[in-house]
Amino acid sequence: SVLGVTALFVWSSFAAGWAMGRVWVTIGDAFDPAEGKRAFAHIAIGASLGGVAGALAAAWLVRRYDPANLLGFAAVIVLGAAVGPARRL
């Protein structure tokens, strides 16, 4: 349904923004300004390469499997991303 897709888009945009903010806050806490300036390029390159690799992997998966069947796979990935860091608390 259109409402479901819209809700998913809004939620995923919010979650991505929150996660990105948390990443930069954590990096800001972990490095002093000089280390942060040196590490920024590596982090930015890694993020860019990860975005490209993720898009290519998603395109490959959609060609290979039915997109409806990939929802369960995506749910497992999101659950793992949520539970993994929470176990360290």
Side-chain angles (χ1 to χ4, degrees):
S1 75
V2 174
L3 181 61
V5 171
T6 302
L8 178 63
F9 175 77
V10 169
W11 177 84
S12 64
S13 297
F14 172 77
W18 178 82
M20 187 60 65
R22 285 298 309 149
V23 165
W24 287 113
V25 167
T26 303
I27 290 170
D29 290 342
F31 296 117
D32 65 32
E35 289 175 326
K37 287 179 183 178
R38 284 195 304 270
F40 178 79
H42 298 287
I43 294 167
I45 289 169
S48 298
L49 291 176
V52 171
L56 291 172
W60 179 80
L61 285 169
V62 167
R63 281 193 305 272
R64 189 168 176 111
Y65 302 103
D66 182 35
N69 295 333
L70 292 174
L71 285 175
F73 179 68
V76 169
I77 290 174
V78 170
L79 183 64
V83 171
R87 291 184 350 168
R88 295 184 188 179
L89 295 178

